[in-house]
Amino acid sequence: MKLLEGKKVLIFGIANKHSIAWGIARAMHEAGAEIGFSYGIPELEKRVLPLAKELGVTFVEKCDVGVDAEIDQVFAKAKEHFGTIDVLVHSVAFAKREDLMSYFYESSRDGFALAMDISVYSLIALTRAALPLMAEGGSIMSMTYYGSEKVMPNYNTMGVAKAALEATTRYLAADLGPRGIRVNAISAGPIKTLAAAGITNFRKMLNYAGERTPLRRNVDQMEVGRTALYLASDLSSGVTGEIIYVDAGYNIMGMFEPPENWTAR
Ligand code: NAD
Ligand code: 0WE
């Protein structure tokens, strides 16, 4: 019996084959889950449909998570299609490009509000919409980044939004624990995805981290996917409100040993 046999999973945030959400979809598919996809903008349909086909996914719906009516609609359709769901995956973030460069103190009011709306409030809204379909309990998860805890150059508004996302995870976990619904977040190391492609010097950041993590490498989408599988499955039945790191150990370090090994061991 596979880990997610008979489980139904709804995944938000697949853009293309590089998406973390696609790694999650593949890991959960391999574990026997029945999966539904939702994507954010109409232009992504041509990217997402072939991926859906690859996994035999027939539920593929557009949903801008900044629009309540679209959230209502996608969950109405999910109720028709699946009846109930067991797992909700939130893999969505957005900030204005100009807020991911330059000084944090330059952050605009509307850019800050937008990042919080799309990257944080959406988890609350999706969770609330999913509740009627999760009467038997379930597992909800989202994706975060260490820039929530420590300053990362240019992560800026997104760092503050991820701090709020992690706090949101704990408050939702406390609300929903009594209903048998667990809520967790995965803090992933940097991965080259569409969301990362737009970032100046992302390649440099990847190399910087990859040379210094305890594992001396970066992580990939499938490693995040397999941790998501653990969170979705009964293997994690006692785990809620947690931030789980899938970052090759980056977050445990206090000082990084440069590659040329100056501690002379
Ligand atoms: P991605 O671009 O593949 O995924 C981001 C998704 O958010 C896209 O599918 C995009 O369409 C969607 N989105 C944006 N605005 C939306 C809206 N209004 N409505 C619905 N969907 C919307 O990039 P990714 O790196 O896979 O990002 C997924 C998650 O992982 C994000 O929460 C991101 O912050 C997080 N994360 C990424 C990294 C990294 O280095 N790539 C590291 C840690 C955490
Ligand atoms: O969460 C993210 C990125 C999220 C993201 C990316 C973009 C790029 C294009 C949100 N909004 C946008 N808006 C756009 O217009 N990551 C964890 C990846 C990431 O982004 C960074 C990073 C890392 C790592 C930005 C600056 C510094 C480091």
Side-chain angles (χ1 to χ4, degrees):
M1 178 98 170
K2 291 179 178 176
L3 274 178
L4 294 188
E5 205 78 65
K7 301 277 191 191
K8 289 171 273 190
V9 179
L10 196 49
I11 303 179
F12 289 79
I14 298 194
N16 58 33
K17 67 179 184 347
H18 302 293
S19 294
I20 291 174
W22 174 239
I24 295 173
R26 280 195 297 164
M28 292 188 181
H29 173 77
E30 262 176 49
E34 185 184 348
I35 297 173
F37 286 170
S38 176
Y39 58 93
I41 50 170
E43 299 82 83
L44 288 174
E45 189 179 9
K46 64 177 184 300
R47 295 264 174 280
V48 176
L49 283 177
L51 295 176
K53 204 171 166 201
E54 219 176 289
L55 302 190
V57 168
T58 55
F59 185 90
V60 185
E61 295 293 336
K62 189 221 158 209
C63 173
D64 180 338
V65 300
V67 181
D68 288 331
E70 294 198 23
I71 294 176
D72 291 346
Q73 202 175 41
V74 78
F75 278 94
K77 285 179 177 161
K79 191 176 169 63
E80 252 176 56
H81 187 95
F82 292 112
T84 63
I85 63 170
D86 304 282
V87 180
L88 173 66
V89 176
H90 175 287
S91 187
V92 173
F94 190 76
K96 290 185 175 182
R97 242 186 85 76
E98 65 255 36
D99 286 331
L100 299 175
M101 35 177 76
S102 174
Y103 288 105
F104 176 63
Y105 71 74
E106 300 273 17
S107 306
S108 64
R109 189 183 293 272
D110 64 325
F112 187 87
L114 178 68
M116 292 293 279
D117 187 27
I118 303 305
S119 314
V120 187
Y121 184 77
S122 63
L123 176 64
I124 306 170
L126 293 183
T127 295
R128 187 169 55 246
L131 285 183
L133 283 74
M134 277 194 168
E136 304 288 286
S139 174
I140 297 175
M141 68 194 78
S142 70
M143 301 302 127
T144 185
Y145 178 59
Y146 191 49
S148 63
E149 297 173 60
K150 302 289 177 191
V151 173
M152 296 293 180
N154 294 330
Y155 200 59
N156 296 359
T157 293
M158 270 314 302
V160 176
K162 290 303 191 189
L165 182 72
E166 291 170 20
T168 295
T169 300
R170 292 184 282 273
Y171 277 90
L172 290 175
D175 273 359
L176 302 178
R179 303 190 195 196
I181 298 174
R182 299 182 292 107
V183 187
N184 294 286
I186 296 174
S187 187
I191 300 175
K192 185 105 183 155
T193 61
L194 183 63
I199 308 298
T200 326
N201 288 329
F202 191 80
R203 175 55 59 185
K204 278 188 188 160
M205 285 189 267
L206 263 186
N207 292 340
Y208 176 94
E211 289 173 348
R212 288 164 178 81
T213 56
L215 295 180
R216 296 293 190 271
R217 62 175 180 82
N218 287 303
V219 296
D220 65 26
Q221 290 86 335
M222 284 311 289
E223 292 181 297
V224 177
R226 288 190 295 269
T227 295
L229 166 58
Y230 153 79
L231 285 177
S233 78
D234 289 338
L235 288 180
S236 60
S237 59
V239 179
T240 195
E242 292 294 341
I243 313 301
I244 312 236
Y245 296 89
V246 181
D247 65 349
Y250 188 95
N251 77 93
I252 70 167
M253 300 305 288
M255 183 183 287
F256 294 103
E257 207 174 350
E260 51 288 353
N261 215 18
W262 50 274
T263 51
R265 273 197 298 257

